[in-house]
Amino acid sequence: MSLRKTKKQAQPENKIYIGSKIFDVFLILFMLILSVIFLYPFLNVVATSLSSNRMITTGQVTFFPKEIMVDGYKMLFKEQNILGAYWNTIVIAVGTMVISLSLTSLMAYVMMVPDFVLRKQLSVFLLITMFFSGGTVPTYLLIQNLGLYNSWWSLILPNAVTAYNVFVYRSFYKGISPEIRGAARIDGAGDLKILTKIYVPLSKALYATFGLFSVVGVWNSYYEALLYIKDPGKQPIQMLLRKIVFTSGTANMADSQQMISNGAMNQLNVQYACVIATIGPILLVYPFIQKYFAQGMQVGAVKG
C-alpha cells in the first residue's frame, strides 16, 4: 500500500519537474529571439558604418561589415570642433550628475526625517511639478532673465532636481533602519554627517542607477542646447553630430561631400559613424556600473 502511495506522489512531482524544464527551454528560446531583435539594429549600424558604398547600395550588409573601410570615421574626426564638443558634453553631463545627486539627496533626506515640519507641504509642491510644467516659452524667458543664456548652466540647472527622483530617494532612505540614524544622533552626529557618512555609503546602487540615468539623459539631449547655446565653442557633441547627420558634413568636412558624390563613400558611412560616436562612451562606461545599476533598479522598485 505504501509503495502505491509513493508512486502516486512521484508522478505529480515528475510532471512538475518536466513542466519546469519545458518552461525553462521556452524562456531561453524567447530571450534568444529578443536578443537577436535588440542586437541586430546595433550590429547593422556598426557594419554599415564600416562597409563600402557598393555593399551598402546593393543591400548586402547585415551583421558583419563587407569590404571594410573606415572613411566615415576619418571624415567624422576631421571635424575640428569634435574633441571640444566631446569635452563640453562631458562637463555638462558630469556637472548635471553631481548637482542632481547632491541636491536630490539633501531634499529626500529632509523629507524622510519624521520631525521636519514642512514635509507634507514640500511633498504637495513636488507632486504639482509632476503634473504641470512651465512650458518651453516661459522656461526660455526664465533662462534668459537669469543670465544663463548661452552658458552651460542653462543645461545643468533645469535638470538638477526632479520630483520623481526625490520620491524614489526618500523611499530608499526609509528602507534603511531608523535605529542607525538614532544611534548616530546619540553619538553627536548632525544630519549632514549622517547623510554623508551613513546614508550615502549604503545607497551606492541608488546613486549608480540615477547617476547613469542623468548622464545618459544629458548625453542624448540636443533640444535644450539648440534653444539656449548659440556659441559653437560651447555646444555639446549632439549638436555637432546633428549637423553632420542632417547635412552629411560641415564646412570642415567638404571632402566627405565630394567622396559621396563620386560614389567612393556612402552617406550612411558618416551618419552611422556619428551614431557610434554618440553611444560609444556610454557603452564603455556601462559595464563598470552594471551590477550597481541592476541592484538599484530592483531595490528602488521594492522599497517604499
Side-chain angles (χ1 to χ4, degrees), residues 3-18:
L3 183 60
R4 291 180 180 179
K5 289 183 178 180
T6 304
K7 289 182 179 180
K8 290 181 180 180
Q9 291 175 355
Q11 288 177 356
E13 292 179 358
N14 291 333
K15 290 181 179 180
I16 294 173
Y17 177 78
I18 295 173

Side-chain angles (χ1 to χ4, degrees), residues 12-302:
E13 292 179 358
N14 291 333
K15 290 181 179 180
I16 294 173
Y17 177 78
I18 295 173
S20 177
K21 287 296 182 182
I22 294 174
F23 178 77
D24 290 342
V25 172
F26 173 78
L27 186 61
I28 292 172
L29 292 176
F30 179 72
M31 296 304 296
L32 286 175
I33 294 172
L34 282 182
S35 299
V36 172
I37 293 173
F38 293 151
L39 285 176
Y40 176 75
F42 174 73
L43 295 177
N44 181 257
V45 168
V46 175
T48 303
S49 68
L50 295 170
S51 299
S52 66
N53 181 40
R54 185 174 69 87
M55 293 290 105
I56 296 173
T57 53
T58 55
Q60 299 185 45
V61 181
T62 54
F63 290 97
F64 303 101
K66 303 290 182 66
E67 298 181 0
I68 296 178
M69 56 177 290
V70 293
D71 291 341
Y73 292 93
K74 289 180 180 178
M75 290 298 170
L76 174 62
F77 286 97
K78 276 186 178 180
E79 170 59 45
Q80 296 177 359
N81 298 329
I82 190 166
L83 295 180
Y86 263 120
W87 172 250
N88 295 341
T89 305
I90 291 172
V91 172
I92 295 169
V94 174
T96 302
M97 179 188 69
V98 172
I99 292 177
S100 176
L101 293 180
S102 301
L103 295 182
T104 306
S105 299
L106 291 171
M107 183 172 290
Y109 178 81
V110 167
M111 293 178 61
M112 183 270 301
V113 175
D115 53 353
F116 179 56
V117 294
L118 298 177
R119 184 176 58 172
K120 292 184 179 179
Q121 291 82 349
L122 187 58
S123 298
V124 172
F125 174 77
L126 289 175
L127 280 173
I128 292 174
T129 64
M130 295 181 69
F131 296 103
F132 303 98
S133 63
T136 302
V137 175
T139 303
Y140 179 87
L141 295 175
L142 178 64
I143 293 293
Q144 200 169 36
N145 292 334
L146 291 175
L148 303 177
Y149 186 78
N150 202 30
S151 71
W152 289 338
W153 291 111
S154 63
L155 306 179
I156 295 175
L157 292 181
N159 298 313
V161 178
T162 61
Y164 174 79
N165 290 358
V166 172
F167 289 128
V168 174
Y169 277 50
R170 184 184 67 175
S171 298
F172 191 92
Y173 290 164
K174 283 184 177 180
I176 299 175
S177 177
E179 284 78 11
I180 298 177
R181 179 174 175 270
R185 292 301 296 267
I186 294 174
D187 291 339
D191 287 318
L192 183 60
K193 190 172 183 179
I194 293 173
L195 174 63
T196 56
K197 298 297 184 180
I198 298 176
Y199 281 81
V200 171
L202 294 176
S203 307
K204 290 180 181 179
L206 179 73
Y207 290 113
T209 302
F210 283 90
L212 180 64
F213 283 162
S214 177
V215 170
V216 171
V218 173
W219 195 275
N220 292 331
S221 176
Y222 74 89
Y223 182 68
E224 289 80 5
L226 183 65
L227 290 177
Y228 306 135
I229 306 293
K230 296 303 178 185
D231 185 359
K234 297 180 180 179
Q235 290 179 345
I237 188 67
Q238 291 295 341
M239 284 294 296
L240 180 63
L241 297 182
R242 178 177 176 273
K243 293 178 183 177
I244 296 173
V245 168
F246 286 130
T247 63
S248 297
T250 63
N252 299 323
M253 298 173 62
D255 294 342
S256 65
Q257 293 285 0
Q258 185 176 358
M259 291 183 68
I260 292 172
S261 301
N262 296 337
M265 184 174 65
N266 194 285
Q267 185 176 1
L268 294 177
N269 289 127
V270 179
Q271 293 179 347
Y272 284 5
C274 291
V275 174
I276 300 302
T278 303
I279 65 178
I282 299 298
L283 290 178
L284 293 176
V285 172
Y286 179 77
F288 296 100
I289 61 175
Q290 182 180 6
K291 63 177 182 179
Y292 297 110
F293 178 76
Q295 183 182 354
M297 290 295 291
Q298 293 173 1
V299 176
V302 174

